[in-house]
Amino acid sequence: MSMEMAKEKADENQTWRDLPLELLISVMTNLEIEDNVRASAVCKPWYEAAASVRIVDQPPWLMYFPKSRNSYELYNPSNAKRHAKELPESLAGSKVRYSKDGWLLMCKSFSTDFVLFNPFTMDLVVLPDLELWSGYQLVGFSCAPTSSDCVVLTIKDYDPGHVTIRTCSPGETTWTLMHVSSQFLDAKRNYVVFSNGLFYCLNLRNCVAVFDPSLRSWNVLDIPPPIRPDHIDDESWCEGKFMVGYKGDVFLVCTFGNAEPLVFKLDITRRVWEKKENIGSLTIFASINSCESRTYVQEGMLRNGIYFPKLCGNENRFVNYSFDEGRYRPRGHNVNWGKQRSSENIWIEPPENALELI
């Protein structure tokens, strides 16, 4: 190598190594967490810049009904404390149907009166009466009812080949009705995720449909379902599924007893469910009636893993699965979601002042 080329190489290395801290911080701010962590290993200045902008996500809390349908408890993973609260009298006996942005969509078993409820502030938003002769199959909402963009969604297939979609926003006095010719619905669990302005819905056959509330359009995606492993029977393949969104992406988690969970990422461009060997810095908090996801959760909590909505008896720890360790904790735990009461437990995003409210 000539002297001139060596000098150019040295100048190039020196430029990257000695970037001003302000410029480094600006670059690190725009990196995804995985790239942020990789960049922090380059040198000390890069580590300091990367760590300074690395936002630690607070975990969601676990909400469950240990005693009766008239009260509930909130468990805070950050300090392992439990907080017992009473439901408003009007919600006594109600069940949680969906959770998002710290709010719950609730109704009673044989009622069509949906209510949005914040279990931290105790605020209630009553929705218009919904006339359904045999209930619904899928339900969800887009964001907190404090936002003007909030849309509540219910989906039902009354007749073979026809899907009925109803939407409503807080403040409206009636539900908007829409009938669609579709063979989609065959739903047992409430698999709904709102991401990038769209509702993603999953049925038992692992087909995906998308509802756009702004355009009022319904589309069953031409994407083959994930391939069932040979050692998994049909019944197990239909149970223990969780669908979760993260920054525009949609993931599907499949669990089978104490076997390793399978994770698939929806790739609409390639029209496939892409199997993931691990989830990197992502942490998934799975529950039947909606899931939460975080990156770079606080120190001491599992990363590249999944938390399930079940406390280990009276112990202040959760059942979880670590992809790094390739095992459940505690060992030997059988995640049988068809028979566990933990199916009624749900993760919920706490407000920033949650500790002041409870």
Side-chain angles (χ1 to χ4, degrees):
M1 182 183 295
S2 67
M3 291 291 293
E4 184 176 349
M5 291 177 63
K7 184 177 184 305
E8 289 179 358
K9 185 69 174 178
D11 289 343
E12 180 182 348
N13 291 338
Q14 188 73 15
T15 300
W16 282 104
R17 189 166 52 246
D18 295 338
L19 282 174
L21 180 60
E22 294 79 8
L23 184 55
L24 277 174
I25 289 175
S26 177
V27 172
M28 299 298 178
T29 301
N30 292 287
L31 296 180
E32 291 290 337
I33 185 64
E34 294 90 346
D35 296 326
N36 177 291
V37 173
R38 294 190 189 99
S40 67
V42 172
C43 59
K44 185 176 180 181
W46 281 44
Y47 172 82
E48 292 175 350
S52 69
V53 299
R54 193 179 296 161
I55 299 174
V56 177
D57 284 339
Q58 296 301 312
W61 290 20
L62 184 67
M63 180 179 179
Y64 53 103
F65 300 85
K67 299 175 182 178
S68 71
R69 305 305 312 183
N70 301 333
S71 64
Y72 59 95
E73 289 191 10
L74 293 164
Y75 177 82
N76 179 1
S78 301
N79 56 19
K81 290 186 178 180
R82 309 182 191 211
H83 308 272
K85 302 193 76 170
E86 293 290 323
L87 277 173
E89 186 175 347
S90 61
L91 291 182
S94 297
K95 290 186 177 181
V96 176
R97 305 300 185 185
Y98 196 75
S99 171
K100 189 170 181 64
D101 294 350
W103 286 76
L104 306 172
L105 185 61
M106 303 182 71
C107 75
K108 297 181 180 179
S109 297
F110 300 101
S111 171
T112 56
D113 298 331
F114 285 111
V115 174
L116 289 164
F117 172 59
N118 188 314
F120 295 95
T121 65
M122 307 300 286
D123 290 331
L124 284 168
V125 176
V126 179
L127 299 173
D129 290 341
L130 181 60
E131 295 182 4
L132 296 177
W133 63 270
S134 62
Y136 60 88
Q137 287 176 295
L138 297 174
V139 61
F141 61 98
S142 60
C143 57
T146 51
S147 169
S148 59
D149 296 326
C150 179
V151 177
V152 182
L153 170 78
T154 72
I155 300 176
K156 172 69 181 175
D157 59 342
Y158 285 107
D159 303 307
H162 291 86
V163 170
T164 299
I165 301 171
R166 288 177 170 85
T167 58
C168 182
S169 294
E172 294 181 346
T173 57
T174 59
W175 292 78
T176 301
L177 178 66
M178 174 181 173
H179 292 292
V180 181
S181 296
S182 176
Q183 296 289 345
F184 171 76
L185 280 184
D186 179 16
K188 181 180 178 181
R189 300 288 189 183
N190 192 48
Y191 301 122
V192 176
V193 164
F194 186 79
S195 180
N196 277 344
L198 304 172
F199 287 98
Y200 290 83
C201 306
L202 186 77
N203 65 11
L204 284 178
R205 291 170 284 118
N206 297 310
C207 298
V208 181
V210 175
F211 177 71
D212 186 333
S214 62
L215 300 178
R216 301 201 57 76
S217 63
W218 169 265
N219 181 32
V220 180
L221 302 182
D222 182 20
I223 297 177
I227 298 175
R228 176 175 64 84
D230 293 336
H231 66 283
I232 304 298
D233 58 66
D234 288 338
E235 183 178 356
S236 299
W237 186 235
C238 291
E239 295 287 349
K241 284 191 178 68
F242 307 92
M243 194 162 67
V244 59
Y246 175 71
K247 289 189 175 180
D249 291 324
V250 175
F251 294 86
L252 180 64
V253 177
C254 305
T255 62
F256 319 96
N258 58 5
E260 177 183 356
L262 300 180
V263 178
F264 301 90
K265 178 182 175 182
L266 183 61
D267 189 328
I268 295 180
T269 303
R270 294 170 51 222
R271 297 185 177 276
V272 297
W273 282 101
E274 176 190 0
K275 188 175 183 296
K276 307 294 290 185
E277 297 304 322
N278 62 71
I279 53 176
S281 60
L282 190 65
T283 300
I284 291 176
F285 297 84
S287 60
I288 295 297
N289 289 318
S290 67
C291 304
E292 296 282 342
S293 58
R294 301 286 189 273
T295 51
Y296 208 75
V297 290
Q298 66 186 52
E299 201 69 35
M301 294 203 71
L302 185 69
R303 299 169 191 167
N304 192 26
I306 305 170
Y307 280 89
F308 296 97
K310 187 178 190 308
L311 289 171
C312 300
N314 294 322
E315 301 178 44
N316 289 330
R317 61 177 180 144
F318 297 99
V319 172
N320 59 50
Y321 183 85
S322 168
F323 286 99
D324 290 331
E325 299 176 13
R327 70 176 181 93
Y328 280 97
R329 296 188 290 184
R331 286 187 182 275
H333 179 76
N334 192 317
V335 186
N336 186 343
W337 300 110
K339 299 179 180 178
Q340 288 187 358
R341 192 168 178 226
S342 56
S343 63
E344 298 182 7
N345 302 346
I346 193 164
W347 297 101
I348 184 167
E349 180 180 339
E352 292 183 2
N353 62 337
L355 294 177
E356 301 173 12
L357 297 172
I358 57 176

